[in-house]
Amino acid sequence: MRRTLLSSAVLAFALTAAVPAFAEPAPPAPLKAAWKQDRVIDNPKITESSGLYASPLHPGVVWTHNDGAGPATLYAIGPDGSTVATVTIEGAAAVDTEAMGGFVDQRGNALIYLADTGDNDKTRQAGVTLFVLPEPKVLADTTVTAERYPIVYPDGPQDAEAVLINPANGNLYFVSKTPTGGAVYGAPASLVPDVANRLERLVAVPHVISDGLIGYDGRMYLRGLNKIRIFTDVTGHVVQTIDAPKQPQGESMALSADGKTLLVGSEGEKSAVFAWALPKELVTGPIRKPGPQPDPNAIQQTARAKEPSRLPQFMLGGVAGLVVLIGAGAAIRRLRR
């Protein structure tokens, strides 16, 4: 019996060895990107720039935020590195903001996403939070309201420093981070505010990820501390590797609004943002440009104008009351007779 089992094992091994195993094509050699310093963030309050998003509304402006707990605050950084606007989300005390992104919807509305998804100790059993707000039309210091979407993972608390929004359809993904790698999680097609939105685990990623994005052609860019990897899509394989610039603590990454330039940032005081003009094969251009942005005050005024007037109700109520009083008076007069 042992001889038969041994012979079968040898035969199986021989057959397996005879058929070449499927293997993903090896990516080409890493690209030696010609990184250039784009700007230096000179705001002394920004010491842990952890997310980056290039504004589609305000040319040359990038948005960033600090890593960690505290008021949920966004900073608009101009081309010269100065802060041109500080936007605070009303009543939002973040636990650990780690990433940001944006999306221009089918109506042309420009939205900003801020991900309060940090959880180094994996203790956030109730989930994490995604804030979504309209990008301000006017760059000025202000306080805004935002929709809040609770996010829960299917396999328990995770630490995530990357939120990815597909610019073609708004599909949303999170990438977790551990010392040995992470995973890509997909969000429901439609998020519901103030209700736990459960993610779906899609695929493991054997790399430590500090940020990511989805290009205009659907390719996924994931950043580590030293390298940026480009995948065919959110569940695909690596097709290109890029050497990231040397930075104190490379954390953030964004694509310019025209899709032609890759931007990366770092934590630290007076941290620099570096830019690299993408080669033609990686440039696909923007899919959608913002349209005229709605004025929140005008929306409120329109909503108030559409409310039915209560004056007819008051008039009907008054007439009805008068009829009742007249009827009661007549009844009293009859009783007195």
Side-chain angles (χ1 to χ4, degrees), residues 123-145:
T123 59
R124 301 177 69 173
Q125 297 291 337
V128 295
T129 304
L130 179 71
F131 298 99
V132 181
L133 61 145
E135 181 173 358
K137 291 173 57 178
V138 178
L139 293 175
D141 294 353
T142 186
T143 299
V144 300
T145 58

Side-chain angles (χ1 to χ4, degrees), residues 293-306:
Q293 300 300 293
D295 183 349
N297 294 326
I299 293 173
Q300 293 174 4
Q301 292 170 4
T302 302
R304 286 195 293 268
K306 290 182 179 180

Side-chain angles (χ1 to χ4, degrees), residues 99-122:
M100 70 181 306
F103 176 61
V104 178
D105 67 17
Q106 293 181 347
R107 297 181 179 180
N109 298 317
L111 303 173
I112 292 179
Y113 295 66
L114 178 63
D116 180 10
T117 54
D119 191 7
N120 290 323
D121 298 324
K122 297 186 177 181

Side-chain angles (χ1 to χ4, degrees), residues 161-203:
E161 295 189 5
V163 58
L164 290 61
I165 304 98
N166 190 321
N169 51 30
N171 287 348
L172 182 67
Y173 305 89
F174 298 82
V175 184
S176 62
K177 177 184 178 183
T178 74
T180 58
V184 178
Y185 294 82
S190 297
L191 298 180
V192 181
D194 304 319
V195 174
N197 295 271
R198 186 179 178 86
L199 304 180
E200 177 186 2
R201 192 178 191 275
L202 300 179
V203 63

Side-chain angles (χ1 to χ4, degrees), residues 38-41 59-62 75-85 139:
D38 181 72
R39 70 196 75 188
V40 174
I41 300 174
V61 168
V62 296
Y75 301 92
I77 309 300
D80 63 352
S82 65
T83 301
V84 293
L139 293 175

Side-chain angles (χ1 to χ4, degrees), residues 139-273:
L139 293 175
D141 294 353
T142 186
T143 299
V144 300
T145 58
E147 289 284 9
R148 306 180 189 198
Y149 298 100
I151 302 294
V152 295
Y153 294 89
D155 47 359
Q158 303 291 330
D159 180 39
E161 295 189 5
V163 58
L164 290 61
I165 304 98
N166 190 321
N169 51 30
N171 287 348
L172 182 67
Y173 305 89
F174 298 82
V175 184
S176 62
K177 177 184 178 183
T178 74
T180 58
V184 178
Y185 294 82
S190 297
L191 298 180
V192 181
D194 304 319
V195 174
N197 295 271
R198 186 179 178 86
L199 304 180
E200 177 186 2
R201 192 178 191 275
L202 300 179
V203 63
V205 179
H207 314 290
V208 180
I209 302 304
S210 62
D211 205 355
L213 60 86
I214 296 178
Y216 296 111
D217 55 1
R219 284 181 282 196
M220 177 174 67
Y221 292 60
L222 295 181
R223 178 181 186 178
L225 294 179
N226 299 315
K227 294 190 180 298
I228 298 168
R229 294 174 177 86
I230 304 177
F231 296 73
T232 52
D233 51 47
V234 293
T235 59
H237 59 274
V238 177
V239 292
Q240 188 58 264
T241 303
I242 304 166
D243 288 328
K246 293 182 179 180
Q247 294 180 293
Q249 188 174 341
E251 286 275 339
S252 58
M253 180 172 61
L255 195 62
S256 63
D258 61 6
K260 296 180 179 180
T261 304
L262 193 62
L263 303 167
V264 294
S266 171
E267 291 191 1
E269 296 182 3
K270 292 187 178 296
S271 61
V273 175

